[in-house]
Every structure is written in C-alpha cells, then in structure tokens.
Amino acid sequence: MSPITERNGEMMRRGRIEVICGSMFSGKTEELIRRLKRAEFARQSVEIFKPSIDTRYAEQDVVSHEGNSIPSTPVDSSASILLLGSDTDVVGIDEAQFFDENLIDVCNELANRGTRVIVAGLDLDFKGIPFGPMPGLCAVADEVTKVHAICVRCGALAYVSHRTVDNEKRVLLGEQTAYEPLCRACYQKAIEKDNLKHQA
Ligand SMILES: [Zn+2]
C-alpha cells in the first residue's frame, strides 16, 4: 500500500468513486485505462476487475477497441472485488453494467476504506433502459464523466447503442457489429422503423 502524502504532513489515502459512463464506442475503456496507467506511473498499486462473462477479447486483459490493454482479473461477483481489492490504492472496474446491484455497496466500502475506485460501464442498454448497477453507481459517485460516441446517422453526440440485429436478449456479447451509436432523435426514428418491421 503506497500512501499519498497530504499537505498537512499526515499520511493518508483518499477514497473516492469515479464513474465513466456512456454508450458503446464512446471511449469509456480508453478513459479507464488512461486513468489507471497514470496511477501506475505514480507508483500507486492498481488492480483491475471485470465480470467473467465478458470474454470478448483476451481472457485476462481489459482491452479497449483501440487495442490498448491492461492486465485484469475476471470475477464472478462484486463480492470478490471487495476481497481482492481491499489493499489497493486504485481499483478499476470495467463493464460494470454486467455486475450485480451489490457492486454499489462494494464501491462505497472500498472508497470509505481509502481506495480510489474508477468504474466504467454502459449507462443504458439497447432499449435505452438504465443498465444494472450503473444508475446507483452514478448516484453514489464523487465524480461522473459521461463520454459520447458520435451518431452514425447525423454526426451529433450519441447517447444510446442501437441494436441492428433482431434479438431481444439484454446481453449479446462479442457482437460489436450488432450495435450502432445513435443520438436521441435518430434513435427514435430507428425504433419506429424497427417496430414497423416487427408488425409486418
Ligand atoms: Zn443522430
């Protein structure tokens, strides 16, 4: 554990929760990796966790679409993060939307003990519904950064990942081509079209 020296001379760690949220292709994971690498460079101890269901690319790495990677530990539940991450200066969590609701308590507990917790995840599912523990995490966070992709239809800032294939399952892993980032207006139009297709 490497303590951060406070201005008053006391040695203490500062716990906080930072949330990075947004649609797919918005650069969430790049931003998470950037913050974690900066902490590593400052010789702080860093642990990264992701849900074990996310096996998109390499099994042990948090990998962004740009191919930038950082070694991580896949875990089955948020409780494991509390066990494995409690002696760490900085805990990173990727794909947080796939974790259970208990992740909110876990992040609070870690932050209360002095850990800086940085969480990245999808804020909305493909239907525009807040995803898993993300809304609760945004509420308890000290700082929330909403990142945006670009709408592929009009170039405005996107807010949701529209699914381009016909599948009602909430989680569709490893299917990057099955989504397109859309702004609110273009998403409304796309949904209308999808509904007409279903009625036909
Ligand atoms: Zn648009």
Side-chain angles (χ1 to χ4, degrees), residues 20 27-36 118 145 147:
I20 305 160
K28 295 182 299 295
T29 301
E30 283 78 31
E31 179 57 19
L32 174 68
I33 291 173
R34 189 184 73 81
R35 292 187 196 183
L36 293 172
I118 312 172
T145 306
V147 285

Side-chain angles (χ1 to χ4, degrees), residues 78-199:
S78 57
S80 310
I81 300 176
L82 194 56
L83 278 174
L84 300 168
S86 50
D87 272 341
T88 312
D89 295 324
V90 185
V91 164
I93 302 166
D94 198 22
E95 303 289 354
Q97 75 278 358
F98 293 140
F99 278 108
D100 48 287
E101 289 285 332
N102 187 43
L103 184 65
I104 301 158
D105 288 342
V106 166
C107 291
N108 256 330
E109 183 62 34
L110 285 169
N112 292 346
R113 291 182 194 173
T115 297
R116 179 184 173 202
V117 186
I118 312 172
V119 187
L122 280 174
D123 45 6
L124 303 173
D125 70 7
F126 75 103
K127 288 183 168 171
I129 296 165
F131 211 142
M134 291 305 289
L137 284 166
C138 286
V140 300
D142 297 80
E143 185 191 298
V144 177
T145 306
K146 191 143 176 164
V147 285
H148 299 271
I150 301 293
C151 174
V152 293
R153 304 206 181 164
C154 77
L157 289 183
Y159 99 113
V160 73
S161 319
H162 174 241
R163 190 174 284 175
T164 53
V165 296
D166 209 0
N167 190 319
E168 284 297 297
K169 263 172 70 183
R170 193 178 205 192
V171 178
L172 199 62
L173 283 170
E175 292 291 338
Q176 296 302 298
T177 51
Y179 296 94
E180 57 181 3
L182 295 181
C183 72
R184 189 180 289 273
C186 291
Y187 181 67
Q188 294 307 317
K189 279 184 221 156
I191 289 297
E192 266 171 47
K193 232 186 205 174
D194 290 349
N195 289 341
L196 285 175
K197 227 189 293 170
H198 281 140
Q199 282 160 22

